[in-house]
Amino acid sequence: MISEFFNWIGRPEIAKPIELVLLFTVFVIVVLYAYASRKRSQRLETYKDIPFLDDHEHIPTDANKEQVNKDESDSRK
């Protein structure tokens, strides 16, 4: 019974549509994961300029962001 199933699913006319649906579903899940959260999408958008940066010190890290936020809050007081 199991071998019959694998023979059936292995036929190209059956396997190709199943692969198409499976890969499209994975693609949609990845896109939803990337853009569902506004905070995550903004963080991912900041990464688009990394190849154009010359120095490693300009790459935004969590520590740099926290320091900038701390400096901004101290200057407002």
Side-chain angles (χ1 to χ4, degrees), residues 65-77:
K65 290 178 185 177
E66 289 176 12
Q67 183 62 37
V68 169
N69 291 339
K70 182 180 177 185
D71 293 342
E72 288 177 354
S73 64
D74 289 343
S75 66
R76 291 180 186 166
K77 291 181 179 180

Side-chain angles (χ1 to χ4, degrees), residues 12-72:
E13 61 269 10
I14 303 296
K16 287 183 181 182
I18 292 173
E19 290 173 16
L20 177 67
V21 169
L22 180 66
L23 292 175
F24 182 73
T25 304
V26 170
F27 173 76
V28 169
I29 290 171
V30 168
V31 168
L32 288 175
Y33 171 78
Y35 292 104
S37 171
R38 182 177 301 258
K39 187 175 181 180
R40 185 182 310 122
S41 66
Q42 289 173 348
R43 181 178 43 119
L44 292 174
E45 285 293 322
T46 63
Y47 295 159
K48 69 181 179 184
D49 296 327
I50 289 176
F52 302 111
L53 298 175
D54 291 334
D55 300 328
H56 292 291
E57 63 191 39
H58 294 295
I59 296 174
T61 61
D62 291 336
N64 291 347
K65 290 178 185 177
E66 289 176 12
Q67 183 62 37
V68 169
N69 291 339
K70 182 180 177 185
D71 293 342
E72 288 177 354

